[in-house]
Amino acid sequence: MADGSEKNAVVSNKKVIFKDYVSGFPKESDMAVTVDENLTLKVAGDSKGILVKNLYLSCDPYMRLSMTNRSSEIFGTYTPGAPITGFGVGKVIDSRNPEFKEGDLVWGLTGWEEYSLLKSSEGLFKIHHTDIPLSYYMGILGMPGLTAYGGFYEVCAPKKGEYMLVSAASGAVGQLVGQFAKLMGCYVVGSAGTQDKVELLKNKFGFDDAFNYKEEPDLNAALKRYFPEGIDIYFENVGGKMLDAVILNMRVHGRIAVCGMISQYNCDQPEGVHNLMSIVYKRVRIEGFATVDYYPQYSKFLDFILPYIREGKVKYVEDIVEGLENGPAAIIGLFSGRNVGKQVVVIAPQ
């Protein structure tokens, strides 16, 4: 490792390598931590590259989708033998791109390694507000925050007084969606996988109610208990049996914003949904969306969220592990619900 002032230095570069495509639940052994020697901290003169020292890395459920050889239209697949990629916060060490200079702090897609050479500035954002913890750019001020903002305000089209359910509600996106809904004046219930997370939703994030889905043998009955008049908006993060039960409990002209389906990511054969005729009876709109759709609104999003953070009106919980070598375990933990809040890996804190 080297400090950003040591441009042109020759350093070692620790990285997390993807070993091979995964079937079923991923394991730590599907990744390997290696060290490359003799990396020169300088960008070649004939490129538009940006060399960054990675400071924080984000663990996100979508990364599981990149571990298969079935490419999606949004997420590419990882290359066996190469570093995995994901969202990160970094400091520019050297740049041949006129938009970025040495010393700039940035967030965007990067490699899981101490230093990354970014060949393009597409999807790379400068960090201007450093009074907020830099790790927040992996969560509330980064991809999850923008996901919650676009998904809630645009796809959900909420109105004051509506009834809303958020699944995976204590996660990086869900905790924000619930707070945005409360600011709007909605009645909000969250589902989570442990009693501690249920208490967090009610006591920290201000949800009206919350339940542990693992303790509910009949999800349809549980939803009728929490929403005796039905659900106007469902923010979907899990899929599977929860989605099936929700569809039965939607109100007329309800909306389902499909952000993700983490319960299905490790299935070789995804579960089907059985109650689809209820969409017709209730005239329910189901819409998927992707964060990249809202990249053009990022500055507008910052204007919206920063005052709430500074005033303490929106709270955010992170689950932080230190060291790149602990990154694989942190990723795997997402799929057993081990993390509480946004999972972040610290490589070199500022």
Side-chain angles (χ1 to χ4, degrees):
M1 295 182 63
D3 184 78
S5 62
E6 296 180 60
K7 191 169 79 168
N8 298 319
V10 177
V11 299
S12 60
N13 189 25
K14 187 186 295 183
K15 53 184 65 180
V16 176
I17 298 295
F18 179 59
K19 291 167 72 173
D20 204 355
Y21 297 118
V22 174
S23 177
F25 274 82
K27 306 179 294 296
E28 288 182 53
S29 59
D30 293 319
M31 296 163 272
V33 179
T34 65
V35 178
D36 281 357
E37 305 293 345
N38 302 322
L39 171 70
T40 302
L41 297 183
K42 184 173 178 61
V43 180
D46 58 350
S47 79
K48 289 285 185 70
I50 305 162
L51 181 67
V52 299
K53 177 180 181 177
N54 293 312
L55 307 176
Y56 297 89
L57 295 173
S58 175
C59 299
D60 296 295
Y62 83 83
M63 296 169 79
R64 173 63 184 86
L65 302 175
S66 296
M67 294 180 180
T68 72
N69 58 2
R70 302 188 301 273
S71 179
S72 73
E73 294 182 16
I74 300 174
F75 309 112
T77 60
Y78 292 149
T79 302
I84 65 173
T85 59
F87 287 92
V89 169
K91 186 175 184 179
V92 176
I93 301 295
D94 191 24
S95 174
R96 297 290 176 179
N97 187 305
E99 297 175 34
F100 297 89
K101 66 181 187 302
E102 180 183 350
D104 283 346
L105 292 167
V106 296
W107 75 268
L109 283 173
T110 188
W112 269 51
E113 52 194 348
E114 291 175 300
Y115 299 92
S116 292
L117 178 61
L118 309 180
K119 296 178 181 178
S120 167
S121 63
E122 184 178 358
L124 192 65
F125 296 88
K126 278 188 189 178
I127 294 174
H128 298 291
H129 303 278
T130 54
D131 60 314
I132 308 291
L134 285 179
S135 60
Y136 275 28
Y137 287 89
M138 293 294 82
I140 188 170
L141 294 178
M143 182 273 287
L146 195 55
T147 301
Y149 176 76
F152 178 66
Y153 287 103
E154 298 210 4
V155 182
C156 293
K159 304 181 191 70
K160 182 178 180 179
E162 290 192 310
Y163 298 93
M164 181 170 191
L165 172 67
V166 183
S167 58
S170 68
V173 176
Q175 60 176 282
L176 292 174
V177 171
Q179 291 180 84
F180 293 167
K182 289 305 300 174
L183 290 170
M184 173 67 70
C186 298
Y187 178 86
V188 187
V189 176
S191 71
T194 69
Q195 194 56 39
D196 286 345
K197 291 179 180 179
V198 167
E199 296 304 318
L200 187 70
L201 293 173
K202 293 192 288 188
N203 300 329
K204 176 90 172 179
F205 300 133
F207 283 57
D208 294 288
D209 215 333
F211 64 94
N212 181 351
Y213 69 89
K214 293 178 181 176
E215 296 180 352
E216 300 290 349
D218 185 339
L219 287 172
N220 181 27
L223 294 178
K224 283 180 167 48
R225 193 166 73 245
Y226 286 98
F227 295 97
E229 298 181 44
I231 301 167
D232 292 297
I233 302 170
Y234 173 45
F235 198 93
E236 166 68 303
N237 285 311
V238 299
K241 294 178 176 61
M242 181 66 80
L243 177 58
D244 232 4
V246 166
I247 289 174
L248 289 175
N249 287 276
M250 293 298 291
R251 301 179 79 181
V252 172
H253 298 302
R255 286 86 68 205
I256 299 176
V258 184
C259 177
M261 293 191 177
I262 193 171
S263 75
Q264 304 302 295
Y265 294 170
N266 298 310
C267 298
D268 290 330
Q269 293 295 325
E271 294 178 278
V273 180
H274 305 285
N275 298 318
L276 290 175
M277 269 308 294
S278 291
I279 297 170
V280 179
Y281 304 145
K282 300 289 183 64
R283 285 82 87 195
V284 172
R285 174 169 61 83
I286 301 179
E287 183 177 347
F289 66 99
T291 313
V292 293
D293 300 339
Y294 302 104
Y295 276 7
Q297 296 187 33
Y298 184 61
S299 61
K300 177 183 172 185
F301 164 65
L302 288 181
D303 290 341
F304 162 82
I305 195 66
L306 284 168
Y308 284 126
I309 296 173
R310 289 173 176 140
E311 294 165 17
K313 292 181 178 177
V314 169
K315 299 175 173 61
Y316 204 64
V317 170
E318 299 174 298
D319 192 326
I320 293 180
V321 299
E322 294 189 7
L324 192 59
E325 63 278 4
N326 294 314
I331 294 175
I332 302 307
L334 294 176
F335 302 101
S336 61
R338 190 167 63 198
N339 60 301
V340 178
K342 171 63 195 169
Q343 185 70 71
V344 176
V345 178
V346 183
I347 302 178
Q350 282 290 93

